[in-house]
Amino acid sequence: MNCPGNSAHLGKNDVEGFLDSFRSIGRTVIPTDCGRSALVLALRTLATREFSGIAWLPAYACPSLPLVFRKEGILVRRYATASGFRPVFPSTGPERRDVVLLIHYFGFPNRGALGWIRSRYPGNRPFVIEDCAGSSLSGNIGIYGDFALFSFRKFFEVPDGGAIISRFSLEPSLNPADPGLARKRNQAFCSFRNGDSALGWHLLERAEAHLDGALSLLPRAPARESWEALKQASFREEANRRRTFAKKLTKQISEDHGISASLSPLFPSVCDEAAPLFLPVEVLGDRDKLASLLNQAGFGCPSLWSLNPALRYSFPSEFRLGQRTVGLPIPRTGSDRDLSVIMDCLKNFAS
């Protein structure tokens, strides 16, 4: 039986094959330029369906997420997460016409969140948005909520490209793709190909800042060149490559007592449905030092995420996690040499 969203079961192995698996179970699929455009479409669709105007977001979330909700005039409330990122709500909410956003973090299916969805009858629960942006190649996600958001641009060298999956019919009016964003991202990719990783990461950060400053122009359609490139991309191969490298890296970390005393993966194992964007680890020492060592070796090591200081006391566990977590790289080649260089950086950090 085909499993929507699981690239291991696709006939066609490109973006259209991936999305066809959702169309085959009756979902509406709309290509977008990014996950944030998909989110705007979801929120505007909810506005036509007796939505309360209240959204529940996990306290541990990318700081850019609340901006999109507030731009759409939606009241944001936070919830905590327990082991395995299982949602923990206060006794006062959420109510039936609210919306709950659940995140599949960094390429790992959020089994705690999926269990929460499955334990509730669809006709008597809040609206649910599955944020699959950082897990866009992972399997068995995006099929339980009312909406699912994908961002393929995070996984491939394309200027843009994402999608929204919806239980409801959509009649979107999409703005054209942003040529400025495409230019900045293409410059970054060119820097990576020329061996200048530091400049490449700087340019990618600049492109993300450009996107943050253009929320009023969302939602956008993907650029034609991006979609054509995604139609040539092997989703199955990329998912397998990332999963294989992450498994090797996780294993080597667990076998080195010095390293495992200095950092610990947020997910102790890499399941067969995972397609990691990074390997997220909680660092017990100076995470800036670790990021610097990896940057000097030519790898990006982003912080995941520095949360709003206002959350320090209301959600102390999530705030601490945001202060300590980084993403270990899944390199584009994923060679044994890459693995060796990364492990050397980790040993240097732990020494």
Side-chain angles (χ1 to χ4, degrees), residues 1-12 17 20-22 24-25 140 143:
M1 181 178 70
N2 284 350
C3 180
N6 191 337
S7 59
H9 295 281
L10 296 179
K12 291 173 64 179
D20 280 347
S21 66
F22 292 97
S24 69
I25 60 169
N140 234 357
I143 56 179

Coordinates of all heavy atoms in Angstrom, one line a residue, residues 1-12 17 20-22 24-25 140 143:
M1 N 0.8 -1.2 0.0 CA 0.0 0.0 0.0 C 0.9 1.2 0.0 O 1.8 1.3 0.8 CB -0.9 0.0 1.2 CG -1.8 1.2 1.3 SD -2.9 1.2 2.7 CE -1.8 1.5 4.1
N2 N 0.6 2.2 -0.9 CA 1.3 3.4 -0.9 C 1.1 4.2 0.4 O 0.0 4.3 0.9 CB 0.9 4.3 -2.1 CG 1.5 3.7 -3.4 OD1 2.4 2.8 -3.3 ND2 1.1 4.2 -4.5
C3 N 2.1 4.8 0.9 CA 2.0 5.6 2.1 C 2.3 7.1 1.7 O 3.5 7.4 1.4 CB 3.0 5.1 3.2 SG 2.9 6.1 4.7
P4 N 1.4 8.0 1.8 CA 1.6 9.4 1.3 C 2.8 10.0 2.1 O 2.9 9.8 3.3 CB 0.3 10.1 1.7 CG -0.7 9.0 1.6 CD 0.0 7.8 2.1
G5 N 3.6 10.6 1.3 CA 4.8 11.3 1.9 C 6.0 10.4 2.1 O 7.0 10.9 2.5
N6 N 5.9 9.2 1.9 CA 7.0 8.3 2.1 C 7.7 8.0 0.8 O 7.1 7.2 0.0 CB 6.6 7.0 2.8 CG 7.8 6.1 3.3 OD1 8.8 6.3 2.8 ND2 7.5 5.3 4.2
S7 N 8.8 8.6 0.5 CA 9.4 8.4 -0.8 C 9.8 7.0 -1.1 O 10.1 6.7 -2.3 CB 10.7 9.4 -0.8 OG 11.6 9.0 0.2
A8 N 9.9 6.1 -0.1 CA 10.3 4.8 -0.4 C 9.2 4.0 -1.2 O 9.4 3.0 -1.8 CB 10.6 4.0 0.9
H9 N 8.0 4.6 -1.2 CA 6.9 3.9 -1.8 C 6.4 4.6 -3.1 O 5.4 4.3 -3.7 CB 5.7 3.8 -0.9 CG 6.0 3.0 0.3 ND1 6.0 1.6 0.3 CD2 6.4 3.3 1.6 CE1 6.3 1.1 1.5 NE2 6.5 2.1 2.3
L10 N 7.2 5.6 -3.6 CA 6.8 6.3 -4.8 C 7.0 5.6 -6.0 O 7.9 4.8 -6.2 CB 7.5 7.7 -4.8 CG 7.3 8.6 -3.7 CD1 8.1 9.9 -3.9 CD2 5.8 9.0 -3.6
G11 N 6.1 5.8 -7.0 CA 6.4 5.4 -8.4 C 7.4 6.4 -9.0 O 8.6 6.1 -9.2
K12 N 6.9 7.6 -9.3 CA 7.8 8.7 -9.7 C 8.5 9.1 -8.5 O 8.0 9.2 -7.4 CB 6.9 9.8 -10.3 CG 6.2 9.5 -11.6 CD 5.3 10.6 -12.0 CE 6.1 11.9 -12.3 NZ 5.2 13.0 -12.7
G17 N 5.8 13.1 -8.1 CA 5.5 11.8 -7.5 C 5.2 11.9 -6.0 O 4.3 11.2 -5.5
D20 N 1.9 13.5 -5.7 CA 0.8 12.6 -6.2 C 0.3 11.7 -5.1 O -0.8 11.2 -5.1 CB 1.3 11.9 -7.4 CG 1.2 12.7 -8.7 OD1 0.6 13.8 -8.6 OD2 1.8 12.3 -9.7
S21 N 1.2 11.3 -4.2 CA 0.9 10.3 -3.2 C -0.2 11.0 -2.2 O -1.0 10.2 -1.6 CB 2.1 9.9 -2.4 OG 2.7 10.9 -1.7
F22 N -0.2 12.3 -2.1 CA -1.2 13.0 -1.3 C -2.5 13.2 -2.1 O -3.6 13.0 -1.6 CB -0.7 14.3 -0.8 CG 0.4 14.2 0.2 CD1 1.7 14.3 -0.1 CD2 0.1 13.9 1.6 CE1 2.7 14.1 0.8 CE2 1.1 13.8 2.5 CZ 2.4 13.9 2.1
S24 N -3.6 11.2 -4.3 CA -4.2 9.9 -4.4 C -5.2 9.6 -3.3 O -6.0 8.7 -3.4 CB -3.2 8.8 -4.6 OG -2.5 8.6 -3.4
I25 N -5.0 10.3 -2.1 CA -5.9 10.1 -1.0 C -6.9 11.3 -0.9 O -7.5 11.4 0.2 CB -5.2 9.8 0.3 CG1 -4.3 11.0 0.7 CG2 -4.4 8.5 0.2 CD1 -3.7 10.9 2.1
N140 N 5.6 9.1 6.2 CA 4.5 8.9 7.1 C 4.1 10.2 7.9 O 3.7 10.0 9.1 CB 4.8 7.8 8.1 CG 3.7 6.7 8.0 OD1 2.7 6.9 7.3 ND2 3.9 5.7 8.8
I143 N -0.2 13.5 6.9 CA -1.4 12.9 6.5 C -2.5 12.8 7.5 O -3.6 12.4 7.3 CB -1.2 11.4 6.0 CG1 -0.5 10.6 7.1 CG2 -0.4 11.4 4.7 CD1 -0.2 9.2 6.7

